């Protein structure tokens, strides 16, 4: 079931005795955890009635034993077991059919403790790309649990709708272009979107419109647009504009190794697109999404522009030069600016 379906069910019905919370989207997971605790535990029972375990540190049998225990201090309990993927068997000889404690879980499901809700949380793996098989293995290990809530990462569109809704609730005046900048800067991360909107509200208030400058000042990664301006200028061979973009980054206090990391990532994504014969932004977005790489529309446009600006041979040379510049920045140098200016001169010759 989806998080929305879970929230609707526990509003109208008693919660199930055991849940599997599966997936990496932590914002909605937090909402569901909060709603479950409020549903099961009265305020006076929350200190003694909520128990946490980490299956990377304790066994499945230990968690089941705790769920079977009756508390003298709280008639209702929520037992939360995070890191559920830690019990996956390892090695070629291991089998999902022989998990220590699995029989205890099956027996507990037949006779759960009244007043207790047991939640297994597995948030390490995504549903796409290389993680898909690992998610399937977690499902198989916990197949006895009928109530599974899937926490899938937000799409770009759903992240924008969330940002719009949260901004409206906060009374924030956020235009569509500023909204897009905010969501793209945060990579569609729902939890960060919510926290950054609150920061913007505290900083700018609700009496004026939020500007791109406000977002650049407060939101991490918003300066990536300036780094991309540098990428574009380098691709055109525009030395003067490249140096101007570099000067902007330095004045804004950009950490130069981080800027180089962004450049390297951008060039590598463009190289993959070159090798796959991708030409349009939509092809790039579809291709990387199938590979399990998060790629939203604006980022796909940036990669497409880099592909257009850099022929494959020039791109390969640029990746190598960025590597050596990054190494030089980490050496003892009199001025990091010298390293970056040398990179600009090299890439625009």
């Amino acid at each position: 079931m989806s998080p929305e379906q879970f929230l609707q069910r526990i509003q109208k019905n008693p919660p199930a005795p055991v849940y599997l919370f599966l997936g990496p989207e932590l914002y909605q997971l937090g909402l569901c955890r909060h709603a479950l605790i409020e549903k099961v535990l009265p305020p006076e029972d929350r200190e003694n009635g909520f128990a946490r375990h980490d299956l990377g540190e304790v066994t499945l049998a230990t968690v089941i034993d705790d769920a079977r225990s009756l508390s003298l201090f709280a008639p209702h309990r929520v037992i939360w077991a995070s890191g559920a993927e830690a019990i996956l068997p390892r090695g070629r000889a291991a089998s999902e059919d022989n998990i220590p404690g699995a029989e205890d879980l099956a027996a507990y499901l037949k006779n759960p403790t009244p007043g207790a809700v047991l939640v297994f949380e597995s948030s390490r793996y995504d549903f796409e790309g290389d993680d898909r098989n690992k998610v399937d293995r977690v499902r198989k290990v916990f197949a006895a649990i009928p109530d599974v809530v899937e926490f899938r990462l937000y799409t770009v569109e759903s992240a924008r709708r969330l940002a719009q809704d949260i901004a409206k609730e906060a009374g924030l005046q956020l235009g569509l272009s500023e909204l897009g900048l905010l969501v793209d800067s945060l990579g569609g991360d729902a939890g960060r979107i919510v926290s950054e909107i609150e920061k913007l509200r505290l900083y700018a208030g609700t009496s004026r419109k939020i500007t791109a400058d406000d977002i650049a000042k407060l939101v991490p990664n918003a300066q990536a647009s300036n780094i991309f301006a540098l990428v574009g200028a380098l691709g055109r061979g525009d030395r003067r504009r490249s140096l101007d973009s570099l000067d902007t980054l330095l004045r804004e206090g950009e950490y130069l190794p981080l800027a180089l990391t962004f450049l390297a990532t951008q060039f590598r994504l463009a190289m993959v697109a070159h090798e796959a014969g991708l030409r349009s932004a939509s092809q790039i977005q579809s291709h990387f999404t199938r590979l399990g790489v998060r790629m939203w529309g604006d980022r796909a446009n940036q990669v497409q522009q880099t592909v257009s600006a850099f022929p494959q041979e020039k791109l390969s040379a640029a990746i190598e030069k960025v590597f050596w510049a990054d190494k030089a920045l980490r050496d003892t140098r009199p001025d990091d600016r010298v390293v970056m200016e040398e990179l600009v001169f090299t890439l625009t010759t």
Side-chain angles (χ1 to χ4, degrees):
M1 76 182 85
S2 68
E4 292 81 6
Q5 290 171 328
F6 169 81
L7 292 172
Q8 290 171 1
R9 289 188 187 185
I10 66 168
Q11 283 179 357
K12 300 176 181 178
N13 305 295
V18 184
Y19 289 99
L20 174 61
F21 279 14
L22 185 62
E25 209 302 291
L26 300 181
Y27 171 67
Q28 286 191 313
L29 191 149
L31 293 179
C32 291
R33 179 173 56 233
H34 179 74
L36 180 64
I37 291 172
E38 284 204 331
K39 177 75 174 183
V40 176
L41 301 176
E44 64 273 13
D45 289 344
R46 288 174 192 170
E47 182 177 353
N48 296 311
F50 184 71
R52 266 188 179 278
H53 297 282
D54 184 344
L55 281 166
E57 300 175 356
V58 301
T59 64
L60 179 57
T62 299
V63 175
I64 300 300
D65 286 343
D66 187 17
R68 285 197 176 110
S69 302
L70 297 175
S71 173
L72 297 175
F73 304 102
H76 302 280
R77 300 183 69 212
V78 174
I79 300 94
W80 197 277
S82 61
E85 63 279 346
I87 71 169
L88 289 176
R90 299 179 183 180
R92 294 182 180 179
S95 169
E96 278 85 356
D97 298 324
N98 187 25
I99 302 292
E103 293 182 358
D104 293 330
L105 176 59
Y108 180 82
L109 282 160
K110 293 177 181 178
N111 185 28
T113 304
V117 177
L118 174 56
V119 180
F120 293 97
E121 175 199 332
S122 175
S123 55
R124 180 174 179 180
Y125 302 127
D126 196 0
F127 294 91
E128 305 294 336
D130 294 339
D131 282 354
R132 185 182 303 173
N133 290 336
K134 297 174 183 176
V135 169
D136 290 340
R137 292 182 67 202
V138 175
R139 286 186 194 276
K140 184 175 180 181
V141 167
F142 291 96
I145 301 175
D147 294 281
V148 180
V149 186
E150 295 185 352
F151 296 91
R152 295 178 179 268
L153 293 172
Y154 279 74
T155 63
V156 177
E157 293 75 17
S158 60
R160 287 179 185 246
R161 287 195 298 270
L162 173 70
Q164 206 162 17
D165 292 342
I166 297 298
K168 185 177 179 180
E169 289 176 9
L172 209 62
Q173 298 183 42
L174 196 62
L176 290 178
S177 60
E178 290 76 20
L179 182 78
L181 174 61
L182 176 68
V183 173
D184 292 340
S185 297
L186 299 174
D189 186 316
R192 294 179 65 196
I193 287 171
V194 173
S195 64
E196 295 303 329
I197 285 177
E198 176 61 13
K199 279 169 58 178
L200 287 167
R201 185 187 68 81
L202 294 172
Y203 171 75
T206 58
S207 60
R208 68 172 178 85
K209 186 177 179 180
I210 299 297
T211 66
D213 285 342
D214 294 329
I215 294 172
K217 287 177 183 176
L218 293 183
V219 179
N221 301 334
Q223 292 179 350
S225 57
N226 292 324
I227 299 173
F228 181 67
L230 174 60
V231 174
L234 289 172
R236 295 189 301 272
D238 188 337
R239 180 173 294 172
R240 184 183 65 80
R241 193 63 60 87
S242 297
L243 291 172
D244 287 344
S245 298
L246 175 60
D247 186 62
T248 299
L249 289 171
L250 289 165
R251 281 190 285 104
E252 292 182 348
E254 180 68 39
Y255 179 56
L256 293 182
L258 182 62
L260 274 178
T261 298
F262 181 90
L263 280 172
T265 300
Q266 186 77 6
F267 288 154
R268 288 192 181 99
L269 291 173
M271 178 63 80
V272 172
H274 261 303
E275 292 174 346
L278 310 176
R279 292 292 176 263
S280 68
S282 60
Q283 288 177 340
I284 290 169
Q285 186 172 7
S286 298
H287 180 79
F288 282 104
T289 300
R290 285 196 301 271
L291 294 177
V293 178
R294 298 192 70 193
M295 181 67 63
W296 52 100
D298 289 352
R299 185 67 188 278
N301 284 326
Q302 292 176 354
V303 174
Q304 188 273 328
Q305 291 175 40
T306 305
V307 169
S308 300
F310 282 81
Q312 191 165 353
E313 184 177 342
K314 183 179 179 182
L315 192 59
S316 179
I319 292 172
E320 183 177 353
K321 289 169 184 175
V322 167
F323 168 79
W324 287 111
D326 181 67
K327 189 173 185 298
L329 282 179
R330 299 174 194 280
D331 292 340
T332 303
R333 286 268 179 162
D335 189 351
D336 288 347
R337 182 177 191 129
V338 173
V339 175
M340 294 298 293
E341 287 181 346
E342 286 178 355
L343 176 66
V344 169
F345 274 91
T346 302
L347 292 177
T348 54
T349 53

